Amino acid sequence: MSNCIFCQIILGKSPSHMLYQDERVSAFRDIHPVAPTHVLVVPNQHIASVNDLAREDEALVGYLFTVAHQVARQEGIDGTGYRLIINTGPHSGQVVFHLHLHLIGGQRMRFPMG
Ligand code: 5GP
Ligand code: ZN
């Protein structure tokens, strides 16, 4: 989608610090990190939110978690731990309507947030 910032990043048309990319998933650093590691793991296919997932996306969603784990390992935070967050809709504060998994770590966190 040409008006979607994450689609533009995935296509290399907008700049990003890309950490991992293959034919299904991309992972790049969040532009406004809230912790030492803050990476967004996204499907290359434009899916607006969890509300828009279809049954045929189930394997893709699982793969997002596999890539998140791999990036956490690359970042050296798999042992100390990390948080995976998917905001969905207005009450969650979702602002970019291209499904993304926030991978946040590198410091101790409180729970719940917000
Ligand atoms: P949401 O609130 O939708 O779950 O989170 C969207 C995230 O995308 C925010 O953490 C925000 O900082 C990040 N973000 C928004 N625009 C850009 C961008 O152009 N590049 C990158 N790397 N991150 C972005
Ligand atoms: Zn998109």
Side-chain angles (χ1 to χ4, degrees):
M1 273 179 56
S2 59
N3 61 345
C4 170
I5 182 61
F6 287 179
C7 281
Q8 296 306 302
I9 287 172
I10 291 158
L11 293 170
K13 293 181 176 171
S14 280
S16 74
H17 186 150
M18 190 67 70
L19 297 175
Y20 178 82
Q21 188 164 45
D22 65 20
E23 69 285 352
R24 283 190 288 169
V25 167
S26 302
F28 49 90
R29 292 203 192 279
D30 195 293
I31 202 167
H32 294 127
V34 299
T37 291
H38 187 172
V39 176
L40 301 170
V41 185
V42 310
N44 294 343
Q45 176 192 345
H46 182 87
I47 299 169
S49 81
V50 169
N51 285 342
D52 301 284
L53 285 168
R55 286 299 297 270
E56 59 261 32
D57 299 322
E58 285 177 0
L60 176 62
V61 171
Y63 187 54
L64 285 177
F65 282 81
T66 298
V67 171
H69 175 209
Q70 182 182 310
V71 172
R73 220 171 34 228
Q74 268 174 230
E75 292 286 301
I77 60 168
D78 54 327
T80 48
Y82 51 92
R83 188 168 288 168
L84 299 174
I85 299 170
I86 301 178
N87 291 323
T88 306
H91 278 188
S92 74
Q94 183 181 8
V95 294
V96 176
F97 284 83
H98 180 127
L99 181 67
H100 52 281
L101 202 157
H102 293 258
L103 162 61
I104 297 171
Q107 69 180 48
R108 191 172 286 278
M109 288 167 273
R110 283 192 299 265
F111 186 83
M113 300 195 303

